[in-house]
Amino acid sequence: MLLEKSTFVVTGASGGLGRHITRHFLKEGAHVVAVARDEDKLLHSLSDIESEQNERLLPIAADLTHWQDILRMKDTAVERFGGVDGLVHSMGGFTAGKTLAETEADEWDFMMNLNLKSAFLCSKALWPVLLKQGGGKIITLSALAALNPKTKRGSYQVSKAGLIALTKSLAQEGKEKNIQVNSIAPSMIETEANKKAMPDADSSKWVAPLEIAKLAAFLCSDRADDITGSIVEMPGKL
């Protein structure tokens, strides 16, 4: 197993991608701190976890745009498992339909907080834990759209582009500390929510969540100790 005896925080754990990451990391032997804002939705999404794996699972409800919630999450994780070996930040959201000139300031702030600020705050909170343990891994979920922007989705694309810059900045700062930081940049992800939002699209060409989870597990393993600052593109068949 790639991640045996390690502990990882997985954010957005109640979402279509986060659920797959949580399950795959448990399958690979990790202890998982599964975090989402809505406690009922989180517990429901994880209710079918096998009993043996459930012993290695810690669900925590937290708003990851709020610093105090993040500190509580971090302290709870460390108290339960004795430390944290890394973060997979799959939390995020998408808005589209307006040009930047049409985008209201509160809509802009919503995307920046959800996709970028949350990643910064989670990384900031867990960084001292990784340093104390002698290193670790951070994975962010950016997007191909940040590398190839299109019209009427500007705030989303800018927030994901900022996430790429954050990833590369953290990677530089972690090089001498044995902390590797990488980002996965998929195209459209084949989740139920995305299929419902775009019922006429050919979802067979989208990226499967499990394939993202497998890549995240590899990047979080000791097999990827020499990989940092990378943006791994996953275009699927698009």
Side-chain angles (χ1 to χ4, degrees):
M1 292 186 285
L2 280 176
L3 305 174
E4 194 170 9
K5 297 182 180 179
S6 62
T7 298
F8 285 90
V9 173
V10 176
T11 68
S14 64
L17 175 58
R19 287 198 298 269
H20 280 84
I21 295 173
T22 297
R23 282 167 171 75
H24 189 68
F25 273 51
L26 288 169
K27 180 181 177 182
E28 290 290 355
H31 299 80
V32 177
V33 182
V35 188
R37 183 171 58 180
D38 187 320
E39 183 174 23
D40 290 339
K41 185 178 178 181
L42 175 63
L43 294 177
H44 177 73
S45 70
L46 302 175
S47 60
D48 62 341
I49 298 292
E50 296 177 6
S51 57
E52 181 274 329
Q53 293 183 343
N54 195 54
E55 296 177 0
R56 293 185 277 111
L57 176 66
L58 174 62
I60 297 179
D63 184 338
L64 299 182
T65 65
H66 291 172
W67 181 238
Q68 292 304 317
D69 269 23
I70 294 171
L71 290 180
R72 173 177 57 81
M73 176 272 291
K74 182 259 296 182
D75 290 342
T76 304
V78 171
E79 181 179 357
R80 169 71 178 273
F81 294 125
V84 172
D85 297 290
L87 164 70
V88 182
H89 190 69
S90 73
M91 169 187 165
F94 174 80
T95 59
K98 293 183 179 181
T99 66
L100 286 169
E102 295 166 338
T103 301
E104 300 294 337
D106 60 345
E107 296 171 322
W108 174 272
D109 289 343
F110 176 73
M111 276 288 94
M112 297 304 148
N113 288 336
L114 187 64
N115 291 334
L116 182 54
K117 181 181 179 181
S118 63
F120 161 67
L121 291 179
C122 287
S123 300
K124 175 180 172 64
L126 292 174
W127 198 264
V129 181
L130 301 184
L131 290 177
K132 184 177 181 181
Q133 294 185 182
K137 312 283 186 177
I138 296 175
I139 307 297
T140 65
L141 265 294
S142 53
L144 276 182
L147 303 173
N148 303 288
K150 295 182 172 67
T151 188
K152 293 190 176 181
R153 55 188 70 178
S155 57
Y156 167 75
Q157 292 167 159
V158 172
S159 67
K160 290 294 190 177
L163 193 55
I164 289 173
L166 174 67
T167 299
K168 288 182 173 290
S169 297
L170 288 171
Q172 288 297 319
E173 294 174 2
K175 276 187 175 180
E176 302 300 322
K177 309 296 183 182
N178 193 33
I179 299 175
Q180 292 82 47
V181 189
N182 296 288
S183 189
I184 301 172
S187 60
M188 190 63 65
I189 303 173
E190 189 187 359
T191 64
E192 291 303 317
N194 285 340
K195 288 191 285 188
K196 183 178 180 179
M198 290 167 279
D200 298 327
D202 183 359
S203 60
S204 67
K205 295 182 178 180
W206 298 353
V207 181
L210 180 56
E211 297 308 310
I212 298 175
K214 290 178 180 178
L215 176 57
F218 169 75
L219 290 172
C220 285
S221 74
D222 56 11
R223 298 182 187 178
D225 284 351
D226 293 327
I227 303 174
T228 194
S230 295
I231 313 301
V232 184
E233 300 180 20
M234 295 187 74
K237 297 178 178 65
L238 293 176

